[in-house]
Amino acid sequence: MAGRSVTPKTPGLSVSARKIKDNAADWHNLIMKWETLNENSFTSATKIVNIKIATRFKDKLEIECDNIASDDRSSPPDYNVELEEHCTELLGIFENMTKIHQKMEKLCSTTKGICDLEKYHHGDHKTPLFHTWPTPYFYEASVNLLEMYSKELKLKQTIVQEIAHTADQDLLMVYLSSWLYQPYIEHSSRVMLESMLLETGHRSL
């Protein structure tokens, strides 16, 4: 979790300031959970790719039961139980990432509500709630973070849907690399998050 503020106590934060501070901590915690899921899921993604590469010279793994000239309802001869297990694991992690993304959307919406409320009460007079950031800055940072994670989630959805059905080795390696390095989550996201934590007192000045 985001570290507690080590700055001197103030007479008291406003309702908006407290909510913004809570949101900053929530952003930190959600991003840390996302990163943990991403790192843990890389093992499953790697095993899927290894299995696909090992069987690249064989016929496709998906064999329709109608093509089996038998009443035996057991799995087709080339059916790979291990592959299915790892795909199920990867799908489960993707679903957890989707839940995190939904919470990010809620944070963004909440921050916008706070900004609208502050503007209603104080107009365009942008008095910082903490140190230097006008309230709209928190919404802008939230929007930028959400945009990155939204794009990354769509990429991961594509990978989850395609990785077990792709026979091309080069494409499999692209999927694997993309999953680990998350191209849509830019380095600036870390700067924005840390700046938000610093501004709200979760990091020491």
Coordinates of all heavy atoms in Angstrom, one line a residue, residues 72-135:
D72 N -16.3 -43.1 -28.8 CA -15.6 -42.7 -27.6 C -15.7 -41.3 -27.3 O -15.3 -40.5 -28.2 CB -14.1 -43.2 -27.7 CG -13.3 -42.9 -26.5 OD1 -13.9 -42.6 -25.4 OD2 -12.1 -43.1 -26.5
R73 N -16.1 -40.9 -26.2 CA -16.3 -39.4 -25.9 C -15.1 -38.9 -25.1 O -15.2 -37.8 -24.6 CB -17.6 -39.2 -25.1 CG -18.9 -39.6 -25.9 CD -20.1 -39.1 -25.2 NE -21.3 -39.4 -26.0 CZ -22.5 -39.1 -25.6 NH1 -22.7 -38.4 -24.4 NH2 -23.6 -39.4 -26.3
S74 N -14.1 -39.6 -25.1 CA -12.9 -39.1 -24.4 C -12.3 -38.0 -25.3 O -12.7 -37.8 -26.4 CB -11.8 -40.2 -24.2 OG -11.5 -40.7 -25.4
S75 N -11.3 -37.3 -24.7 CA -10.7 -36.2 -25.5 C -10.0 -36.7 -26.7 O -9.5 -37.8 -26.8 CB -9.6 -35.5 -24.6 OG -10.2 -35.0 -23.4
P76 N -10.0 -35.8 -27.8 CA -9.3 -36.2 -29.1 C -7.9 -36.5 -28.8 O -7.3 -36.1 -27.8 CB -9.5 -34.9 -29.9 CG -10.6 -34.2 -29.3 CD -10.6 -34.5 -27.9
P77 N -7.2 -37.3 -29.7 CA -5.9 -37.8 -29.5 C -4.9 -36.7 -29.3 O -3.9 -36.8 -28.5 CB -5.6 -38.6 -30.8 CG -6.9 -39.0 -31.3 CD -7.9 -37.9 -30.9
D78 N -5.0 -35.6 -30.0 CA -4.0 -34.5 -29.9 C -4.4 -33.4 -28.9 O -3.8 -32.4 -28.8 CB -3.9 -33.8 -31.3 CG -3.1 -34.7 -32.2 OD1 -2.4 -35.6 -31.7 OD2 -3.3 -34.5 -33.5
Y79 N -5.5 -33.7 -28.1 CA -6.0 -32.7 -27.1 C -4.9 -32.6 -26.0 O -4.5 -33.6 -25.5 CB -7.3 -33.2 -26.6 CG -7.9 -32.2 -25.6 CD1 -8.6 -31.1 -26.0 CD2 -7.8 -32.4 -24.2 CE1 -9.1 -30.2 -25.1 CE2 -8.3 -31.6 -23.3 CZ -9.0 -30.4 -23.8 OH -9.6 -29.6 -22.9
N80 N -4.6 -31.4 -25.7 CA -3.5 -31.1 -24.8 C -4.1 -30.6 -23.5 O -4.5 -29.4 -23.4 CB -2.5 -30.2 -25.3 CG -1.2 -30.2 -24.5 OD1 -1.2 -30.0 -23.3 ND2 -0.1 -30.3 -25.2
V81 N -4.2 -31.4 -22.5 CA -4.8 -31.0 -21.2 C -4.0 -29.9 -20.5 O -4.5 -29.0 -20.0 CB -4.9 -32.2 -20.3 CG1 -5.5 -31.8 -18.9 CG2 -5.8 -33.3 -20.9
E82 N -2.7 -30.0 -20.6 CA -1.8 -29.0 -20.0 C -2.0 -27.7 -20.6 O -2.0 -26.6 -20.0 CB -0.3 -29.5 -20.1 CG 0.6 -28.5 -19.4 CD 2.1 -28.9 -19.5 OE1 2.4 -29.9 -20.3 OE2 2.9 -28.3 -18.9
L83 N -2.2 -27.7 -22.0 CA -2.4 -26.4 -22.7 C -3.7 -25.8 -22.2 O -3.7 -24.5 -21.9 CB -2.5 -26.6 -24.2 CG -2.8 -25.4 -25.0 CD1 -1.7 -24.4 -24.9 CD2 -2.9 -25.8 -26.5
E84 N -4.7 -26.6 -22.0 CA -6.0 -26.0 -21.6 C -5.9 -25.4 -20.2 O -6.5 -24.4 -19.9 CB -7.1 -27.1 -21.6 CG -8.5 -26.6 -21.2 CD -9.5 -27.6 -21.1 OE1 -9.1 -28.8 -20.8 OE2 -10.7 -27.3 -21.3
E85 N -5.1 -26.1 -19.3 CA -5.0 -25.7 -17.9 C -4.3 -24.3 -17.9 O -4.8 -23.4 -17.2 CB -4.2 -26.7 -17.1 CG -4.9 -28.0 -16.9 CD -4.0 -29.0 -16.2 OE1 -2.8 -28.8 -16.0 OE2 -4.6 -30.0 -15.7
H86 N -3.3 -24.1 -18.7 CA -2.6 -22.9 -18.7 C -3.4 -21.8 -19.3 O -3.4 -20.6 -18.9 CB -1.2 -23.0 -19.4 CG -0.2 -23.9 -18.7 ND1 0.0 -23.8 -17.3 CD2 0.5 -24.9 -19.1 CE1 0.9 -24.7 -17.0 NE2 1.2 -25.4 -18.1
C87 N -4.2 -22.1 -20.3 CA -5.1 -21.1 -21.0 C -6.1 -20.7 -20.0 O -6.5 -19.5 -19.9 CB -5.7 -21.7 -22.2 SG -4.6 -21.9 -23.6
T88 N -6.6 -21.6 -19.2 CA -7.6 -21.3 -18.2 C -7.0 -20.4 -17.1 O -7.7 -19.4 -16.6 CB -8.2 -22.6 -17.5 OG1 -8.8 -23.4 -18.5 CG2 -9.2 -22.3 -16.4
E89 N -5.8 -20.7 -16.7 CA -5.1 -19.8 -15.7 C -5.0 -18.4 -16.3 O -5.2 -17.4 -15.6 CB -3.7 -20.4 -15.4 CG -3.8 -21.7 -14.6 CD -2.4 -22.3 -14.4 OE1 -1.4 -21.7 -14.9 OE2 -2.3 -23.3 -13.8
L90 N -4.5 -18.3 -17.5 CA -4.3 -17.0 -18.2 C -5.6 -16.2 -18.3 O -5.7 -15.0 -18.0 CB -3.7 -17.2 -19.5 CG -3.1 -15.9 -20.2 CD1 -1.9 -15.4 -19.3 CD2 -2.6 -16.2 -21.6
L91 N -6.7 -16.9 -18.6 CA -8.0 -16.3 -18.7 C -8.5 -15.8 -17.4 O -9.0 -14.7 -17.2 CB -9.0 -17.3 -19.3 CG -10.5 -16.8 -19.4 CD1 -10.6 -15.5 -20.3 CD2 -11.4 -17.9 -19.9
G92 N -8.2 -16.6 -16.3 CA -8.6 -16.2 -15.0 C -7.9 -14.9 -14.5 O -8.5 -14.0 -13.9
I93 N -6.6 -14.8 -14.9 CA -5.8 -13.6 -14.5 C -6.3 -12.4 -15.3 O -6.4 -11.3 -14.8 CB -4.3 -13.9 -14.8 CG1 -3.8 -14.9 -13.7 CG2 -3.5 -12.6 -14.7 CD1 -2.4 -15.4 -14.0
F94 N -6.6 -12.6 -16.6 CA -7.2 -11.6 -17.4 C -8.5 -11.0 -16.8 O -8.7 -9.8 -16.8 CB -7.4 -12.0 -18.8 CG -8.2 -11.1 -19.7 CD1 -7.6 -9.9 -20.2 CD2 -9.5 -11.3 -20.0 CE1 -8.3 -9.0 -20.9 CE2 -10.2 -10.4 -20.7 CZ -9.6 -9.2 -21.2
E95 N -9.3 -11.9 -16.3 CA -10.6 -11.5 -15.7 C -10.4 -10.7 -14.5 O -11.1 -9.7 -14.2 CB -11.4 -12.8 -15.4 CG -12.0 -13.4 -16.7 CD -12.7 -14.8 -16.4 OE1 -12.5 -15.3 -15.2 OE2 -13.3 -15.3 -17.3
N96 N -9.3 -11.0 -13.7 CA -9.0 -10.3 -12.5 C -8.5 -8.9 -12.9 O -8.7 -7.9 -12.2 CB -8.0 -11.0 -11.7 CG -8.5 -12.2 -10.9 OD1 -9.7 -12.2 -10.6 ND2 -7.7 -13.2 -10.6
M97 N -7.7 -8.8 -14.0 CA -7.2 -7.5 -14.5 C -8.4 -6.7 -15.0 O -8.4 -5.4 -14.8 CB -6.3 -7.7 -15.7 CG -4.9 -8.3 -15.2 SD -3.8 -8.5 -16.6 CE -2.2 -8.4 -15.8
T98 N -9.4 -7.3 -15.5 CA -10.6 -6.6 -16.0 C -11.3 -6.0 -14.8 O -11.8 -4.8 -14.8 CB -11.6 -7.6 -16.7 OG1 -10.9 -8.1 -17.9 CG2 -12.9 -6.8 -17.1
K99 N -11.4 -6.7 -13.7 CA -12.0 -6.2 -12.4 C -11.2 -5.0 -11.9 O -11.8 -4.0 -11.4 CB -12.1 -7.2 -11.4 CG -13.0 -8.4 -11.7 CD -13.0 -9.5 -10.7 CE -14.0 -10.6 -11.0 NZ -13.9 -11.7 -10.0
I100 N -9.9 -5.1 -12.0 CA -9.0 -3.9 -11.6 C -9.3 -2.7 -12.5 O -9.4 -1.6 -12.0 CB -7.5 -4.3 -11.6 CG1 -7.2 -5.3 -10.5 CG2 -6.6 -3.1 -11.5 CD1 -5.8 -5.8 -10.5
H101 N -9.4 -3.0 -13.8 CA -9.7 -1.9 -14.7 C -11.0 -1.2 -14.4 O -11.2 0.0 -14.5 CB -9.7 -2.4 -16.1 CG -10.0 -1.4 -17.2 ND1 -11.2 -1.2 -17.7 CD2 -9.2 -0.4 -17.7 CE1 -11.2 -0.2 -18.6 NE2 -10.0 0.3 -18.6
Q102 N -12.0 -2.0 -14.0 CA -13.3 -1.4 -13.7 C -13.2 -0.5 -12.4 O -13.9 0.5 -12.4 CB -14.3 -2.6 -13.4 CG -14.7 -3.3 -14.6 CD -15.5 -4.6 -14.3 OE1 -15.6 -5.1 -13.2 NE2 -16.1 -5.2 -15.3
K103 N -12.4 -0.9 -11.5 CA -12.2 -0.1 -10.3 C -11.4 1.2 -10.7 O -11.7 2.3 -10.1 CB -11.4 -0.8 -9.2 CG -12.2 -2.0 -8.6 CD -11.4 -2.8 -7.6 CE -12.2 -3.9 -7.0 NZ -11.4 -4.7 -6.0
M104 N -10.5 1.1 -11.7 CA -9.8 2.3 -12.2 C -10.8 3.3 -12.8 O -10.7 4.5 -12.6 CB -8.7 1.9 -13.2 CG -7.5 1.2 -12.6 SD -6.4 0.7 -13.9 CE -5.0 0.1 -12.9
E105 N -11.8 2.7 -13.6 CA -12.8 3.6 -14.2 C -13.6 4.3 -13.1 O -13.9 5.5 -13.3 CB -13.7 2.7 -15.0 CG -13.1 2.2 -16.3 CD -14.0 1.3 -17.1 OE1 -14.8 0.5 -16.5 OE2 -14.1 1.4 -18.4
K106 N -13.9 3.6 -12.0 CA -14.7 4.2 -10.9 C -13.9 5.3 -10.3 O -14.4 6.4 -9.9 CB -15.1 3.1 -9.9 CG -16.0 3.6 -8.8 CD -16.4 2.5 -7.9 CE -17.3 3.0 -6.8 NZ -17.7 1.9 -5.9
L107 N -12.6 5.1 -10.1 CA -11.7 6.1 -9.5 C -11.7 7.4 -10.4 O -11.8 8.5 -9.9 CB -10.3 5.6 -9.4 CG -10.0 4.7 -8.2 CD1 -8.5 4.3 -8.2 CD2 -10.3 5.4 -6.9
C108 N -11.6 7.2 -11.7 CA -11.6 8.3 -12.6 C -12.9 9.1 -12.5 O -13.0 10.3 -12.5 CB -11.4 7.8 -14.0 SG -10.8 9.0 -15.2
S109 N -14.0 8.3 -12.5 CA -15.4 8.9 -12.4 C -15.5 9.7 -11.1 O -16.1 10.8 -11.1 CB -16.4 7.9 -12.5 OG -17.7 8.4 -12.4
T110 N -15.0 9.1 -10.0 CA -15.1 9.8 -8.7 C -14.3 11.1 -8.7 O -14.7 12.1 -8.1 CB -14.6 8.8 -7.6 OG1 -15.4 7.7 -7.6 CG2 -14.7 9.5 -6.2
T111 N -13.1 11.0 -9.3 CA -12.3 12.2 -9.3 C -12.9 13.3 -10.1 O -12.8 14.5 -9.7 CB -10.9 11.9 -9.9 OG1 -10.3 10.8 -9.1 CG2 -10.0 13.1 -9.9
K112 N -13.6 13.0 -11.2 CA -14.3 14.0 -12.0 C -15.4 14.6 -11.2 O -15.6 15.8 -11.3 CB -14.9 13.3 -13.3 CG -15.5 14.4 -14.2 CD -16.1 13.7 -15.4 CE -16.6 14.8 -16.4 NZ -17.6 15.7 -15.8
G113 N -16.1 13.8 -10.4 CA -17.1 14.3 -9.6 C -16.6 15.3 -8.6 O -17.3 16.4 -8.3
I114 N -15.5 15.0 -8.0 CA -14.8 16.0 -7.0 C -14.5 17.3 -7.7 O -14.7 18.3 -7.1 CB -13.6 15.3 -6.4 CG1 -14.0 14.1 -5.5 CG2 -12.9 16.3 -5.5 CD1 -12.9 13.2 -5.0
C115 N -13.9 17.2 -8.9 CA -13.5 18.3 -9.6 C -14.7 19.2 -10.0 O -14.7 20.4 -9.8 CB -12.8 18.0 -10.9 SG -11.2 17.2 -10.7
D116 N -15.8 18.6 -10.4 CA -17.0 19.3 -10.7 C -17.6 20.0 -9.4 O -18.1 21.1 -9.5 CB -18.1 18.4 -11.3 CG -17.7 17.9 -12.7 OD1 -16.8 18.5 -13.3 OD2 -18.3 16.9 -13.1
L117 N -17.5 19.3 -8.3 CA -18.0 19.9 -7.0 C -17.2 21.1 -6.6 O -17.7 22.1 -6.2 CB -18.0 18.8 -6.0 CG -18.6 19.2 -4.6 CD1 -20.0 19.5 -4.7 CD2 -18.3 18.1 -3.6
E118 N -15.8 20.9 -6.7 CA -15.0 22.1 -6.4 C -15.2 23.3 -7.3 O -15.2 24.4 -6.8 CB -13.5 21.6 -6.5 CG -13.0 20.7 -5.4 CD -13.0 21.4 -4.0 OE1 -12.3 22.4 -3.9 OE2 -13.7 21.0 -3.1
K119 N -15.4 23.0 -8.6 CA -15.7 24.1 -9.5 C -17.0 24.8 -9.2 O -17.2 26.0 -9.3 CB -15.7 23.6 -10.9 CG -15.8 24.7 -12.0 CD -15.7 24.2 -13.4 CE -15.8 25.3 -14.4 NZ -15.6 24.8 -15.8
Y120 N -18.0 24.0 -8.8 CA -19.3 24.5 -8.4 C -19.2 25.5 -7.2 O -19.8 26.5 -7.2 CB -20.3 23.4 -8.1 CG -21.6 23.8 -7.6 CD1 -22.6 24.3 -8.5 CD2 -21.9 23.8 -6.3 CE1 -23.8 24.7 -8.0 CE2 -23.2 24.2 -5.8 CZ -24.1 24.7 -6.7 OH -25.3 25.1 -6.2
H121 N -18.4 25.0 -6.2 CA -18.3 25.8 -5.0 C -17.3 27.0 -5.1 O -17.5 28.1 -4.5 CB -17.8 24.9 -3.9 CG -18.9 24.0 -3.3 ND1 -20.1 24.5 -2.8 CD2 -19.0 22.7 -3.3 CE1 -20.8 23.5 -2.4 NE2 -20.2 22.4 -2.7
H122 N -16.2 26.8 -5.9 CA -15.2 27.8 -6.0 C -15.0 28.4 -7.3 O -14.0 29.2 -7.5 CB -13.9 27.2 -5.5 CG -14.0 26.6 -4.1 ND1 -14.2 27.3 -2.9 CD2 -14.0 25.3 -3.7 CE1 -14.3 26.5 -1.9 NE2 -14.2 25.2 -2.4
G123 N -15.7 28.0 -8.3 CA -15.5 28.6 -9.7 C -14.2 28.1 -10.3 O -13.8 27.0 -10.0
D124 N -13.6 29.0 -11.0 CA -12.3 28.6 -11.7 C -11.1 29.0 -10.8 O -10.0 29.0 -11.3 CB -12.2 29.3 -13.0 CG -13.2 28.8 -14.0 OD1 -13.5 27.5 -14.0 OD2 -13.7 29.5 -14.9
H125 N -11.4 29.4 -9.6 CA -10.3 29.8 -8.6 C -9.6 28.5 -8.2 O -10.2 27.7 -7.4 CB -10.9 30.5 -7.4 CG -9.8 31.0 -6.5 ND1 -8.8 31.8 -6.9 CD2 -9.6 30.7 -5.2 CE1 -8.0 32.0 -5.8 NE2 -8.4 31.4 -4.8
K126 N -8.5 28.2 -8.8 CA -7.8 26.9 -8.6 C -6.9 26.9 -7.4 O -5.6 26.9 -7.5 CB -7.1 26.5 -9.9 CG -8.0 26.4 -11.1 CD -7.3 26.0 -12.3 CE -8.2 25.9 -13.5 NZ -7.5 25.6 -14.8
T127 N -7.4 26.9 -6.2 CA -6.6 26.9 -5.0 C -6.2 25.4 -4.8 O -7.1 24.5 -4.7 CB -7.3 27.4 -3.8 OG1 -7.7 28.7 -4.0 CG2 -6.5 27.3 -2.5
P128 N -4.9 25.1 -4.6 CA -4.5 23.7 -4.4 C -5.1 23.1 -3.2 O -5.2 23.8 -2.1 CB -3.0 23.8 -4.3 CG -2.6 25.1 -5.0 CD -3.8 26.0 -4.7
L129 N -5.5 21.8 -3.3 CA -6.0 21.2 -2.1 C -4.9 20.7 -1.2 O -5.1 20.5 0.0 CB -6.8 19.9 -2.5 CG -8.2 20.2 -3.2 CD1 -8.8 18.9 -3.7 CD2 -9.1 20.9 -2.3
F130 N -3.7 20.6 -1.8 CA -2.5 20.1 -1.0 C -1.4 21.1 -1.1 O -1.2 21.9 -0.3 CB -2.1 18.7 -1.5 CG -3.2 17.7 -1.3 CD1 -4.1 17.4 -2.4 CD2 -3.5 17.1 -0.1 CE1 -5.1 16.4 -2.3 CE2 -4.5 16.1 0.1 CZ -5.3 15.8 -1.0
H131 N -0.5 20.9 -2.1 CA 0.7 21.7 -2.3 C 0.6 22.6 -3.5 O 0.5 23.8 -3.4 CB 1.9 20.8 -2.3 CG 2.1 19.9 -1.1 ND1 2.4 20.4 0.1 CD2 2.0 18.6 -1.0 CE1 2.5 19.5 1.0 NE2 2.2 18.3 0.4
T132 N 0.7 22.0 -4.7 CA 0.7 22.8 -5.9 C -0.3 22.5 -7.0 O -0.6 23.3 -7.8 CB 2.1 22.7 -6.5 OG1 2.4 21.3 -6.9 CG2 3.2 23.2 -5.6
W133 N -0.8 21.2 -6.9 CA -1.8 20.8 -8.0 C -3.1 21.4 -7.8 O -3.8 21.2 -6.8 CB -1.9 19.3 -7.9 CG -0.8 18.5 -8.5 CD1 0.5 18.9 -8.6 CD2 -0.9 17.2 -9.1 NE1 1.3 17.9 -9.2 CE2 0.4 16.8 -9.5 CE3 -1.9 16.3 -9.2 CZ2 0.7 15.6 -10.1 CZ3 -1.6 15.0 -9.8 CH2 -0.3 14.7 -10.2
P134 N -3.6 22.1 -8.9 CA -5.0 22.4 -8.9 C -5.8 21.1 -9.0 O -5.3 20.1 -9.5 CB -5.2 23.2 -10.2 CG -3.8 23.7 -10.5 CD -2.9 22.6 -10.0
T135 N -7.0 21.1 -8.5 CA -7.9 19.9 -8.5 C -8.0 19.2 -9.8 O -7.9 18.0 -9.9 CB -9.3 20.2 -7.9 OG1 -9.1 20.9 -6.7 CG2 -10.0 18.9 -7.7

